[in-house]
Amino acid sequence: MQPAAPNSPNRPYSHASFRGGTIPGVCWRSGSAVFDEMFRDGRLVCRYWNANGQIWPEMHFENTAWAEDQPADTFHLAINRHDLAGGYSWLGAEATPDPSAYRQGVSGSDELPVTHGVIRLAHAEAGVEVAVHTRLDGGPFIIRWLEITNLSSASVAISSVSPFAGALWAHRYEEHLPAGLSSPFEVAYNHAFEWGHEGDFWFQPLMPGVFAVDGGKKGRSGWGRPAFWARNLCNGQTFVCELAWGGNYEFALDCRFHPRTAQDPTRLDTPRAELYFRMGLSGYDEALRVVEPGETVTTPAVHAALFHADTDDIVQATHQHVRHVVMPAQIPGREMEIEANHRGYLCDRENVPDILKDVDVAAAIGAEMYVIDAGWYGDEPNQWGNNVGDWHDGAWMKEGGGLKAVADYVHEKGLKFGLWVEIEAAGANSTLKKEHPDWLMTRDGEPVAGGRALDLSKPEVAEFVENEIARLIHTYDLDMFRIDHNHCIQPAGNRRFQGFTEDLIWRYYDMLYGIFDRLRARFPNVVFQNCAGGGGRLDWGTLARFHNTELSDWMRMPRGLKILNGVTMSLPPEILLRTFGTEVGEHALEGDVDTQLRLCFCRPIFRGIAPSMDALTPCLRDRITHYLEVFRKHIRPIMRDGLVFHHTPFLSHQEITPWCVLEYASPDRDRAVAAVFRTSAEGPGEYLFRPRGLDLSTTYRVVLDNRNQSFRATGRDLVTDGVRLQIDRTLASELIVCEAVR
């Protein structure tokens, strides 16, 4: 997202036009996106979306009115179980300074053209005021959140809330819908929400009715993510919607068809189709949040964009938004460190002498950071899950100087040192749980999540968590702090408060996010790494607080590769950690060593290279050294701000597919690298790879890694004729590197 030249048609641009009069409203413009909304009949509703930067003429919309049963409202809010739509009064709208923590600049002095505006509405009957915040920054994404203020003398309950909603499309479709298709609309989303199924992201048709997706109410954003793509097969547009929140969520798409009817002469352009959406929070109790008199609460934000573009272009725009707006700036020089983790051969066998041997192996193969994961703490040996909460050396770590000796040794070897802590939990064996049973989250007075979930909605618990993290960073001179979150708060904790039963998840995440916002500011040289039973919180709200994230705990082909393929529809690969190693079983299904290494076609973590230097075979060392040389020279420089091309997008985890192919290219199109994987024995063993990230007029040196051979070709020839690859074996692969010849 480097700023374009002043005369470039694609230079970053944003603007808000406020309308007054009897039907006030706002036209929001950012990059090529236009979103227009109006206030009419006590409702804030959509007038139209446009993906091409076009303002549609007023004569077509000045008489627009939505019926009561058409959910065109651009947000949804229910107070005390009463839907407020239709009862608002307009207080005003204005541009204001951006109050959010989203990044204002790309790098250095490059500033994004941020526009922020607020629409203020009042609901006299419910006694609340709603400030509808909208943030634009020149890209295609529109960010929206609500501030809800209780103006009454009694507490009120937010029963349901969707910060962004409304109409997407309403148009005729008879001459645009191909034969054999039953609907002009389809939706892609994460179909699975269970462990080890991240990135199960693919399209299905939308039929008439309301299609709702509940993320599983796991007390976190699941192993999927709170997001969807809605695609219009009539006009080629795609709507991308992401909720920036780690808690329970639900989104819904309301699809309506109006067939041709001779009895309705007013419908001149029937048959018609309409699609409406809403994205919001979900919970278990009557109150998602209790708001006391005079109190203001802020909802999570929704990021939404309408594209008239191909899948690859949507992915590039999404990655740029995540890199430069959503996530914190990377620490210079530490953007994509090569990690080694002790869990490969020492799971539940932690001891300092063997860990130091593992450090030696990590240093020998070229790792840049060494991480101590679960198992170093507590009172009971080999009980890592039950010991969490007691963040001190276990007795089995005393010989050799404990964790401090490990940290010192890692630093002496020239590596960075990172530490894993499941800070949100209190295990069954922990002193923390015995001394503070009142710190556990409860539902109707009974502990949830197996009695191991700390209740961060309590200020004293949040204070303990924040202080413990700071103490550990100081004590062990940490370069990286790795969080984990292995339980599901399902069902959620609750409490009786101000006459309501309140679900605690919203308060929980407000506290969690505040903790890490403060810690990042306090420790600017520490990398904060996200993990939640693998990729359990890949939402943009969580990732706004961390520098990188675990992709998944699933480490085997072909699903491990499909996970990377699906998750990178939303998240750029350079922030995703993918494992090579021996920590988990089923080693017979790994594929050859080169394919195992190429599965880390993002950021590698080594979990189990060899038990010791003596056991590190020359052939394995050579292959790892070779891959890391390619990673450092080609993959890492390209990924940093590169383009990502999915040659095989939208792969279901449940279906057998023959190939999975990913390509990364530098923004200047001088370099590209691609990994081609044979994921099953289905079909012939030949794949024709046509790169997408090259310049047609440039000549490239193309290296086929398996053959260790190269040739020269123009970008035009490569794109037109392709590179024909023969990969006969299943769970095998090829790595292709293209570099411009100057």
Side-chain angles (χ1 to χ4, degrees):
M1 193 184 286
Q2 295 300 324
N7 295 322
S8 167
N10 296 318
R11 66 184 183 274
Y13 163 84
S14 68
H15 188 266
S17 300
F18 298 91
R19 296 186 302 271
T22 57
I23 306 177
V26 186
C27 182
W28 308 97
R29 307 196 294 275
S30 185
S32 60
V34 178
F35 168 58
D36 194 303
E37 59 189 331
M38 66 178 178
F39 184 76
R40 185 167 189 166
D41 300 325
R43 302 164 64 190
L44 186 65
V45 293
C46 174
R47 289 217 296 177
Y48 66 87
W49 286 84
N50 184 275
N52 300 304
Q54 294 171 297
I55 307 297
W56 287 349
E58 283 296 309
M59 61 183 176
H60 298 305
F61 293 94
E62 58 189 356
N63 294 318
T64 296
W66 297 95
E68 260 187 54
D69 66 338
Q70 291 178 297
D73 306 78
T74 56
F75 71 92
H76 173 258
L77 176 63
I79 297 291
N80 299 342
R81 296 181 174 175
H82 174 58
D83 186 349
L84 303 192
Y88 290 105
S89 58
W90 176 272
L91 299 181
E94 62 181 344
T96 68
D98 178 26
S100 75
Y102 291 111
R103 289 165 63 190
Q104 301 281 338
V106 177
S107 62
S109 60
D110 297 331
E111 293 295 318
L112 296 174
V114 174
T115 296
H116 175 267
V118 182
I119 297 171
R120 301 191 185 278
L121 307 174
H123 198 286
E125 182 182 351
V128 298
E129 182 177 313
V130 181
V132 184
H133 289 260
T134 305
R135 184 193 191 271
L136 319 171
D137 55 39
F141 279 91
I142 295 171
I143 307 175
R144 170 151 289 186
W145 67 95
L146 309 178
E147 281 184 343
I148 303 160
T149 301
N150 182 2
L151 301 179
S152 69
S153 58
S155 295
V156 299
I158 298 176
S159 307
S160 64
V161 61
S162 296
F164 216 169
L168 288 178
W169 296 294
H171 55 69
R172 55 192 169 85
Y173 66 89
E174 58 182 343
E175 63 189 86
H176 298 86
L177 191 62
L181 294 182
S182 54
S183 172
F185 308 127
E186 57 183 6
V187 61
Y189 65 99
N190 270 78
H191 291 248
F193 308 103
E194 303 306 317
W195 178 88
H197 283 281
E198 303 88 346
D200 187 32
F201 189 79
W202 44 277
F203 277 102
Q204 70 178 55
L206 278 170
M207 302 311 295
V210 177
F211 177 77
V213 174
D214 184 317
K217 289 189 173 66
K218 298 176 180 296
R220 59 181 179 184
S221 55
W223 284 273
R225 73 177 196 272
F228 68 86
W229 288 19
R231 192 154 62 185
N232 188 324
L233 301 176
C234 292
N235 65 11
Q237 294 181 352
T238 301
F239 182 75
V240 175
C241 187
E242 302 251 0
L243 174 64
W245 198 46
N248 298 325
Y249 67 91
E250 182 179 278
F251 62 82
L253 293 154
D254 188 338
C255 182
R256 303 184 180 194
F257 295 169
H258 300 283
R260 184 183 301 280
T261 169
Q263 286 73 37
D264 188 357
T266 64
R267 293 188 180 276
L268 301 179
D269 54 355
T270 55
R272 291 173 57 83
E274 300 170 5
L275 189 65
Y276 306 89
F277 83 100
R278 58 178 171 86
M279 171 65 87
L281 287 59
S282 70
Y284 286 88
D285 298 290
E286 62 178 330
L288 291 171
R289 185 71 173 259
V290 173
V291 189
E292 297 184 75
E295 183 184 8
T296 298
V297 298
T298 303
T299 71
V302 175
H303 301 236
L306 182 66
F307 293 94
H308 213 145
D310 295 333
T311 296
D312 287 333
D313 294 325
I314 296 171
V315 169
Q316 315 315 337
T318 303
H319 287 182
Q320 292 293 72
H321 182 69
V322 171
R323 285 167 174 152
H324 299 304
V325 176
V326 175
M327 294 189 67
Q330 299 291 327
I331 299 172
R334 301 194 57 200
E335 293 89 349
M336 286 170 275
E337 290 163 322
I338 299 166
E339 295 186 20
N341 185 299
H342 94 270
R343 292 282 291 179
Y345 293 98
L346 297 170
C347 299
D348 299 324
R349 297 172 179 81
E350 288 78 15
N351 65 86
V352 173
D354 285 341
I355 289 175
L356 298 188
K357 293 178 185 178
D358 201 55
V359 174
D360 289 338
V361 175
I365 61 98
E368 297 159 347
M369 179 190 293
Y370 191 83
V371 180
I372 294 294
D373 211 292
W376 60 272
Y377 47 84
D379 295 327
E380 297 290 335
N382 305 330
Q383 294 285 324
W384 72 265
N386 290 330
N387 288 344
V388 293
D390 292 351
W391 304 114
H392 56 76
D393 282 356
W396 54 94
M397 293 285 291
K398 300 296 185 184
E399 180 186 353
L403 187 61
K404 186 66 169 67
V406 173
D408 291 343
Y409 188 74
V410 169
H411 285 138
E412 288 170 11
K413 298 290 286 188
L415 279 66
K416 302 293 187 184
F417 181 62
L419 185 65
W420 173 103
V421 179
E422 192 182 2
I423 198 67
E424 298 164 75
N429 296 337
S430 68
T431 302
L432 178 67
K433 182 172 182 176
K434 294 180 178 70
E435 292 183 349
H436 294 285
D438 56 314
W439 285 11
L440 299 177
M441 182 175 281
T442 62
R443 179 168 188 80
D444 301 330
E446 296 297 322
V448 300
R452 75 191 309 268
L454 290 176
D455 187 352
L456 267 62
S457 72
K458 297 182 176 181
E460 64 272 23
V461 181
E463 182 181 13
F464 163 80
V465 165
E466 187 168 347
N467 289 341
E468 275 294 89
I469 296 173
R471 179 184 67 80
L472 292 167
I473 291 172
H474 281 301
T475 300
Y476 299 110
D477 192 18
L478 297 185
D479 302 293
M480 186 273 279
F481 181 85
R482 174 178 168 86
I483 194 175
D484 207 343
H485 182 55
N486 287 303
H487 54 258
C488 292
I489 305 174
Q490 184 184 42
N494 65 8
R495 65 171 180 170
R496 288 295 297 173
F497 183 60
Q498 300 293 341
F500 299 98
T501 301
E502 181 185 52
D503 187 304
L504 292 175
I505 294 299
W506 190 340
R507 292 184 186 273
Y508 183 98
Y509 278 97
D510 277 358
M511 287 291 201
L512 181 70
Y513 290 167
I515 288 169
F516 281 97
D517 287 342
R518 290 187 294 273
L519 287 168
R520 251 189 18 263
R522 184 174 174 184
F523 300 103
N525 297 318
V526 173
V527 169
F528 287 88
Q529 187 175 103
N530 175 57
C531 177
R537 291 195 289 211
L538 298 180
D539 61 274
W540 291 3
T542 300
L543 293 181
R545 277 83 191 175
F546 293 88
H547 295 96
N548 49 65
T549 187
E550 184 82 31
L551 173 61
S552 176
D553 275 347
W554 190 266
M555 302 176 190
R556 296 289 170 255
M557 285 274 282
R559 196 200 310 169
L561 181 61
K562 291 184 177 182
I563 288 170
L564 175 63
N565 190 67
V567 171
T568 50
M569 303 300 288
S570 168
L571 302 178
E574 73 272 13
I575 69 161
L576 301 174
L577 295 114
R578 173 81 273 178
T579 294
F580 169 94
T582 60
E583 181 182 356
V584 301
E586 277 202 306
H587 301 292
L589 294 177
E590 290 180 305
D592 59 67
V593 170
D594 284 335
T595 297
Q596 293 176 45
L597 289 163
R598 291 165 186 163
L599 185 59
C600 303
F601 199 47
C602 46
R603 288 195 46 180
I605 309 178
F606 289 88
R607 283 193 178 104
I609 303 162
S612 65
M613 286 296 297
D614 292 340
L616 180 57
T617 60
C619 63
L620 178 60
R621 182 170 182 170
D622 287 349
R623 297 322 299 161
I624 292 174
T625 301
H626 170 73
Y627 180 76
L628 290 184
E629 181 181 350
V630 173
F631 179 81
R632 288 189 177 94
K633 184 177 180 181
H634 300 290
I635 301 173
R636 182 157 63 181
I638 292 174
M639 278 200 306
R640 182 170 181 174
D641 201 25
L643 310 175
V644 177
F645 299 94
H646 294 79
H647 291 254
T648 51
F650 310 114
L651 296 179
S652 167
H653 292 184
Q654 286 73 40
E655 294 182 7
I656 302 298
T657 53
W659 302 96
C660 185
V661 182
L662 282 166
E663 175 191 353
Y664 307 151
S666 60
D668 60 9
R669 298 185 178 266
D670 269 4
R671 296 174 294 172
V673 59
V676 179
F677 295 87
R678 180 90 187 268
T679 52
S680 78
E682 181 182 276
E686 184 177 89
Y687 187 84
L688 183 63
F689 172 70
R690 289 189 173 96
R692 301 178 186 174
L694 303 183
D695 181 77
L696 299 182
S697 63
T698 300
T699 298
Y700 295 89
R701 178 175 179 263
V702 182
V703 178
L704 303 180
D705 195 53
N706 288 356
R707 296 170 176 264
N708 193 25
Q709 292 182 336
S710 66
F711 62 92
R712 293 192 178 192
T714 65
R716 179 184 177 185
D717 288 343
L718 290 168
V719 170
T720 303
D721 301 331
V723 180
R724 200 171 297 277
L725 304 173
Q726 191 70 33
I727 305 176
D728 295 319
R729 294 177 292 112
T730 187
L731 303 190
S733 62
E734 177 63 282
L735 189 71
I736 305 168
V737 178
C738 303
E739 284 191 295
V741 178
R742 300 299 186 192

